[in-house]
Amino acid sequence: MIVKPRLVLALAASPLLLLTACGGGTDSAAGGAAGNTAGAAGTVRITLTDDGCTAEPNSIAAGPASFEIVNSGASAVTEGELVNSGGRIVGERENLTPGLTGKFSLTLEAGDYTVQCPNATTPTSAFTVTGATAGSTAGTEDPLFAAATQGYQDYVEGQVADLVTATGAFAAAVEAGDVEKAKALYGPARTPYERIEPVAESFGDLDPRIDVRIADVADPATWTGFHRIEQALWEKGSTEGMAPVAQQLVADVAQLDTLVQTTTYQPADLANGASGLLDEVAKSKVTGEEEAYSHLDLLDFAANVEGSQKAFDLLTPALQVTDPDLVTTIQGRFEDVTTALAPYRQGDSYALYTQLTPDQVKDLASAVDALAEPLSQVSGKVVGAASQS
């Protein structure tokens, strides 16, 4: 999450190029996709320091590209982003502590971009893509990729519609001062959001307004969203002062609903979104950091995995053509994660994170890591195949 303001976003949706890095949250996963981006002219290296972030080279030709983000000892900066001229985050890598490297692959259109590293002294630098425009529908001429991207668009719109309904019911309970009902409705409202979290994150400041945690807020007086209300419900046992926060949450979710209605996707969006959701699990769900007051982290964990698997499943017919062995491996690893999570299922929810032993947490983390590595390879393969279609 951000602790300093980003660019103000234009509300007109443009094609969502890539959502997150093609790797998990670990150093070993960062190298998993090396050499998989067919047709890329080379790798752009973005170096993060506390002073700022620079790209080498800072100009490339339009088309498939691979980015490597390296934290060169920065303590205040752990995230690198590529933002287009409309303010959309088209590629990013988060949670890079000193010494870690992350990668993402994407197909870029010609134009002016900005490299951003929140919390640096100089948080932006220019990046240019030259030549003929690659096209916002790269890869969708292939009927298998076209079916995948349309299927994902339908899925995202459906999940956000569910989010609107569930958030409205949750907010109504908060405004009515019904603490127990609001607690009961909190989890169901979180689930659809967690399934499509990388899409929400691509809209810059909208995701922090909805989903930021107190640890990532510079000024607690500006804290909004689900977790602000979560704290009031579970830590304070009260809804006092939360009505305006609930109303703002409903408005922010409605804005997300509007934006996704006109957002289209490239095949690589699905691959990087799937991998990005596993990164979310690794960095905040399996650690118990996400739901600090309700401890419903396993519910979020499950929703992230469900969203990741949906994106992968939609790509599977096309991937079967290029790398059936990788498909088989990833399908097996998804089954392993589902099996590892199953014992903690309790009705429509899951056991509280605080009920897990350290060994149980370790087992869940190991299953996620084992899935993240092969899943990180999908983005490069998709970008390469789509660029040739």
Side-chain angles (χ1 to χ4, degrees):
M1 293 299 176
I2 319 164
V3 294
K4 285 189 179 180
R6 299 185 186 181
L7 292 177
V8 176
L9 298 185
L11 294 184
S14 59
L16 181 59
L17 297 177
L18 280 191
L19 300 175
T20 57
C22 55
T26 65
D27 194 17
S28 61
N36 289 331
T37 308
T43 298
V44 177
R45 182 183 176 94
I46 298 175
T47 302
L48 306 180
T49 69
D50 287 331
D51 292 330
C53 42
T54 56
E56 297 180 4
N58 62 7
S59 179
I60 61 171
S66 176
F67 286 76
E68 180 181 79
I69 303 178
V70 181
N71 185 328
S72 183
S75 58
V77 180
T78 60
E79 178 178 356
E81 305 166 347
L82 185 66
V83 181
N84 69 15
S85 59
R88 295 290 301 281
I89 300 171
V90 298
E92 67 176 336
R93 197 67 177 88
E94 301 178 319
N95 203 39
L96 297 175
T97 52
L100 292 188
T101 297
K103 296 182 179 182
F104 61 82
S105 301
L106 67 163
T107 299
L108 284 173
E109 298 180 12
D112 295 324
Y113 294 76
T114 304
V115 174
Q116 297 194 15
C117 44
N119 300 319
T121 303
T122 305
T124 65
S125 64
F127 186 80
T128 305
V129 179
T130 63
T133 297
S136 62
T137 58
T140 57
E141 295 84 356
D142 184 306
L144 296 178
F145 280 133
T149 54
Q150 183 59 58
Y152 193 66
Q153 183 173 352
D154 294 342
Y155 176 71
V156 170
E157 291 177 7
Q159 290 300 309
V160 176
D162 290 345
L163 175 66
V164 169
T165 300
T167 302
F170 169 65
V174 172
E175 292 187 67
D178 192 334
V179 172
E180 293 308 313
K181 185 175 181 180
K183 283 184 174 181
L185 293 174
Y186 176 77
R190 297 286 295 150
T191 297
Y193 187 83
E194 293 294 332
R195 288 176 181 142
I196 54 90
E197 190 169 8
V199 176
E201 288 180 341
S202 76
F203 297 113
D205 288 339
L206 185 57
D207 172 66
R209 296 205 307 267
I210 294 172
D211 195 36
V212 73
R213 295 168 292 172
I214 185 61
D216 299 310
V217 179
D219 179 4
T222 66
W223 188 20
T224 62
F226 277 115
H227 296 303
R228 173 76 183 278
I229 301 173
E230 179 201 7
Q231 182 198 51
L233 293 174
W234 271 272
E235 186 174 83
K236 301 178 180 179
S238 171
T239 61
E240 183 178 354
M242 290 298 103
V245 181
Q247 292 164 4
Q248 183 61 53
L249 178 61
V250 168
D252 290 336
V253 167
Q255 183 181 354
L256 177 62
D257 186 40
T258 298
L259 290 169
V260 300
Q261 299 304 315
T262 53
T263 301
T264 57
Y265 305 90
Q266 290 186 21
D269 295 328
L270 282 63
N272 280 6
S275 192
L277 282 165
L278 264 291
D279 188 41
E280 289 290 334
V281 173
K283 76 180 183 181
S284 63
K285 276 71 173 188
V286 80
T287 61
E289 298 175 35
E290 183 74 13
E291 305 290 352
Y293 311 104
S294 65
H295 305 299
L296 294 174
D297 302 272
L298 293 188
L299 182 66
D300 292 354
F301 181 129
N304 283 161
V305 172
E306 289 165 7
S308 178
Q309 186 162 14
K310 179 64 177 182
F312 172 75
D313 286 347
L314 287 166
L315 287 172
T316 294
L319 288 172
Q320 285 282 14
V321 176
T322 59
D323 198 334
D325 290 340
L326 181 62
V327 169
T328 299
T329 297
I330 294 173
Q331 288 174 334
R333 301 287 172 83
F334 267 119
E335 290 177 5
D336 291 343
V337 172
T338 301
T339 299
L341 194 57
Y344 309 109
R345 184 78 188 227
Q346 295 181 352
D348 293 332
S349 190
Y350 287 83
L352 300 182
Y353 184 85
T354 50
Q355 296 174 322
L356 301 183
T357 67
D359 284 344
Q360 289 171 329
V361 172
K362 182 179 179 180
D363 289 344
L364 288 171
S366 295
V368 171
D369 288 345
L371 169 60
E373 193 285 320
L375 192 62
S376 74
Q377 300 177 37
V378 173
S379 176
K381 292 183 179 295
V382 166
V383 169
S387 68
Q388 298 172 23
S389 63

